[in-house]
Amino acid sequence: MKSTRTTHRLAACVAVASVALVAGCSTSGSSSSSSASAGSGKGTISIWAHSGQPGENAALEAAVAGFNKSHPTIHANLRLISADTYTTTVTNTPKSQLPDVLEMDGPTVGAFAYNAKLAPLKQFVSASVVSNATAGAIAEGTSNNTLYALPMYDSALGLYANKKMLDAAGVKYPTSTADAWTPAEFLKALQVLAKANKSGKSLDIDESSLNQEWGTYGFSPVIQSAGGNLIQNGKATGVLNSAASIKAMTEFASWKPYVDPNADGNAFQDGRVALSWSGHWEYPVYSKAIGASNLLDLPLPNFGTGSKTGAGSWTWGIGAATKDGSAAGQFLDYLLDDQNVTAMTNADGAPPATKTAFAADKLYQPGGGLALWGQNLQHTCPASAITSTCVAIYRPVTAGYPTITSNFATALAAIFNGADPKTALTNAAKAIDQNFSDNNGYQQ
């Protein structure tokens, strides 16, 4: 359990640290386009990736070894870089010195595209690979109508529940996204579960990470479910601090008496809480701790326009200055096939980001432990085009994302700790709008 939470927190720290630096880079604007060329389709190519969990690293190293064996005229050199410094490294490297193929955190695609560090993907990657990418994968990797990145895996977010504890307390729970708890029903469930538990608590939200990327990933769906958003048409004012967003954040703050601080990371496994607001990365640990048949995957509450959830993860692109685009494209074709995607998702438990591998993953299909969350990932949309039928929402693909997430996460943590929601959200919206204004809306 420890390793899983550590991995999640590490990812969140990476994103926050990295996006801040990307933001600084973004202020320089984009003035150049990709100079990538196809090359001969032979020779040596360089690959950069973040150093993840041991199982993820092993799966990636095996994929590279398999590619080199099956493509004797191309040799891929893999460099694993610490997740703590990965995006900083990419951000601070001139595009002429970037590798032929590079991994990146999903929310940074917009910034790297804006700064002309990525080559459009379709000129080098097979059409069949693009068409096999899930709709969410395409949404996450597309900036200004150009596809720059494709992932091996996605992410899934929702509520974990201890069925025995809910049943013992007499709490009825939703069995589909369509009948997700309303805010009032969710608050009532928190109160009843807390009263029934000697801990006096009922919910874990990883509160110590609210002011990091986790805060935006995990809780922007709250305001989006209410009808608000982080930003719309380049403006935060009017959506981030709308009446609906303020009401939703007020309801979010009302949960605090029932939230376990979870300093040891064991609140759910030890039965101190019956509910955990978290993602797919906890499934292996939670199912082992309380039993797979006792672990429920529930939808997030419906704040008015339908239950919404987060999505998105690490993804892959081609360096804008590569002289071996053909070989780089062949590598991504190989990396994104079913065998390698499945090996990776078996290692980290994430939902596959290709249609065929996702369809074959029993964990996310009917009868699987995360089947409901798998259904949610079949109803995705970008944050710029949220619909009533969309459930899983990808974070905004814009070079201005660093300032969006920094200001929202800061406001979120402040609200949870007692700040006035209207004031905190309005201040965040003003800061975001000022940043966009200072950067001409990050127009390319």
Side-chain angles (χ1 to χ4, degrees):
M1 131 55 251
K2 177 66 175 176
S3 60
T4 305
R5 289 188 69 86
T6 299
T7 299
H8 159 59
R9 286 173 171 159
L10 179 62
C13 289
V14 169
V16 167
S18 62
V19 294
L21 290 168
V22 172
C25 186
S26 298
T27 57
S28 62
S30 176
S31 58
S32 58
S33 59
S34 168
S35 60
S37 57
S40 65
K42 302 177 182 178
T44 299
I45 57 172
S46 54
I47 317 291
W48 283 9
H50 83 286
S51 182
Q53 303 174 51
E56 291 176 321
N57 294 343
L60 182 57
E61 289 167 344
V64 171
F67 175 81
N68 287 334
K69 185 176 181 179
S70 60
H71 294 71
T73 61
I74 305 173
H75 184 79
N77 277 334
L78 172 64
R79 178 187 174 193
L80 290 175
I81 299 173
S82 169
D84 288 330
T85 60
Y86 182 80
T87 304
T88 303
T89 301
V90 175
T91 300
N92 292 335
T93 301
K95 70 175 183 178
S96 62
Q97 297 175 28
L98 285 174
D100 300 292
V101 178
L102 67 159
E103 193 181 24
M104 70 207 86
D105 205 1
T108 65
V109 170
F112 289 144
Y114 177 77
N115 285 290
K117 293 198 168 189
L118 300 174
L121 217 54
K122 289 185 178 179
Q123 60 183 314
F124 299 124
V125 173
S126 297
S128 59
V129 170
V130 175
S131 64
N132 194 36
T134 63
I138 297 294
E140 181 183 49
T142 300
S143 178
N144 282 334
N145 300 314
T146 300
L147 181 66
Y148 287 103
L150 286 174
M152 299 182 79
Y153 53 88
D154 206 319
S155 66
L157 172 76
L159 280 168
Y160 287 107
N162 185 316
K163 184 177 184 301
K164 291 179 180 178
M165 294 178 71
L166 267 62
D167 289 345
V171 173
K172 295 182 178 179
Y173 50 85
T175 57
S176 72
T177 300
D179 65 351
W181 279 319
T182 65
E185 290 170 338
F186 183 58
L187 179 61
K188 182 65 176 177
L190 294 180
Q191 293 169 336
V192 171
L193 290 167
K195 187 175 182 179
N197 196 328
K198 63 182 180 182
S199 71
K201 304 294 182 182
S202 51
L203 177 66
D204 170 38
I205 60 170
D206 194 2
E207 71 168 82
S208 65
S209 298
L210 290 178
N211 65 344
Q212 301 175 22
E213 183 62 19
W214 163 242
T216 303
Y217 172 81
F219 297 93
S220 56
V222 170
I223 61 170
Q224 289 161 336
S225 173
N229 207 342
L230 295 169
I231 191 169
Q232 192 70 44
N233 298 323
K235 294 283 290 184
T237 298
V239 288
L240 181 56
N241 64 338
S242 67
S245 296
I246 292 169
K247 184 174 185 292
M249 283 291 100
T250 301
E251 290 163 333
F252 161 77
S254 73
W255 308 339
K256 184 169 178 126
Y258 314 105
V259 172
D260 187 303
N262 201 13
D264 64 358
N266 289 314
F268 187 80
Q269 300 92 311
D270 288 351
R272 300 203 306 270
V273 298
L275 298 170
S276 174
W277 190 297
S278 189
H280 70 265
W281 51 87
E282 297 287 14
Y283 181 81
V285 175
Y286 282 2
S287 59
K288 182 179 181 181
I290 70 169
S293 62
N294 186 38
L295 181 63
L296 302 174
D297 62 329
L298 307 183
L300 298 182
N302 176 1
F303 289 81
T305 69
S307 174
K308 307 297 183 188
T309 188
S313 192
W314 290 88
T315 188
W316 291 87
I318 292 177
T322 182
K323 302 305 178 189
D324 296 297
S326 175
Q330 291 180 63
F331 176 79
L332 286 183
D333 286 348
Y334 183 85
L335 186 70
L336 298 174
D337 71 12
D338 281 358
Q339 179 178 345
N340 289 307
V341 169
T342 301
M344 178 61 75
T345 56
N346 283 343
D348 63 14
T354 62
K355 295 175 183 175
T356 48
F358 182 82
D361 193 324
K362 295 181 179 178
L363 181 63
Y364 294 95
Q365 297 303 318
L370 295 178
L372 189 148
W373 296 3
Q375 291 174 15
N376 291 343
L377 287 171
Q378 297 181 55
H379 302 279
T380 62
C381 62
S384 58
I386 300 173
T387 67
S388 59
T389 58
C390 161
V391 180
I393 301 171
Y394 292 82
R395 286 158 285 180
V397 181
T398 167
Y401 182 77
T403 194
I404 294 173
T405 187
S406 174
N407 282 284
F408 175 72
T410 299
L412 179 79
I415 291 168
F416 186 72
N417 288 308
D420 175 62
K422 182 177 181 179
T423 300
L425 292 176
T426 297
N427 289 341
K430 287 180 178 178
I432 293 168
D433 287 346
Q434 185 61 58
N435 178 273
F436 270 64
S437 177
D438 291 344
N439 289 281
N440 193 30
Y442 292 101
Q443 298 299 311
Q444 289 183 297

